[in-house]
Amino acid sequence: TTPRERYYAGEKFIARGYGYWDYIQSEINSNRIDGFDFLVIHLDGKSNNLENDQKIKSQLTSFSLEKTFYDIKHKNKVLIYRKINSQ
C-alpha cells in the first residue's frame, strides 16, 4: 500500500519500503526519466556523498546540473537537472 492509502485508511505511517538512493538508481536504470525535461533529486544524509554525486553525474549524460540546494546542516541536498536539449 502507498503512504497516501495508509493515511486515508487511518493507519499509522510506516517507511516507504525503499531508500532514496535505491529509488533513484531504479528510476535511472529503467530509463523512465528520459520522458522528463527536469529532474529533482533529493539526497538524504545517507546517500549524500561524493561517490554518489559522481555516479549520478555519469549516469545522467542527457541532463545537466542546473542548481544544488543544501539544508542548513549540509546533510541533505536537492539537485535540479535539466535535459540538455530542452529549452
Side-chain angles (χ1 to χ4, degrees):
T1 61
T2 67
R4 181 177 290 179
E5 291 168 339
R6 293 188 64 76
Y7 172 79
Y8 286 112
E11 296 291 323
K12 67 178 186 170
F13 175 78
I14 56 173
R16 292 180 307 277
Y18 56 85
Y20 287 119
W21 183 248
D22 296 334
Y23 181 72
I24 292 166
Q25 288 302 298
S26 71
E27 291 299 304
I28 291 172
N29 294 334
S30 71
N31 294 323
R32 285 189 289 252
I33 61 168
D34 292 336
F36 296 102
D37 292 331
F38 289 90
L39 299 176
V40 178
I41 299 174
H42 174 261
L43 295 177
D44 62 359
K46 294 177 184 174
S47 56
N48 181 11
N49 60 50
L50 184 59
E51 180 182 325
N52 288 346
D53 282 351
Q54 292 171 344
K55 187 169 186 177
I56 287 174
K57 188 174 182 177
S58 70
Q59 291 174 320
L60 297 178
T61 56
S62 60
F63 290 85
S64 66
L65 181 63
E66 293 291 312
K67 185 75 176 172
T68 303
F69 296 97
Y70 293 93
D71 70 352
I72 291 174
K73 296 181 181 178
H74 278 250
K75 287 185 177 181
N76 303 310
K77 67 180 168 185
V78 174
L79 306 171
I80 299 179
Y81 281 88
R82 174 184 253 184
K83 198 167 221 172
I84 292 172
N85 61 1
S86 174
Q87 296 297 330

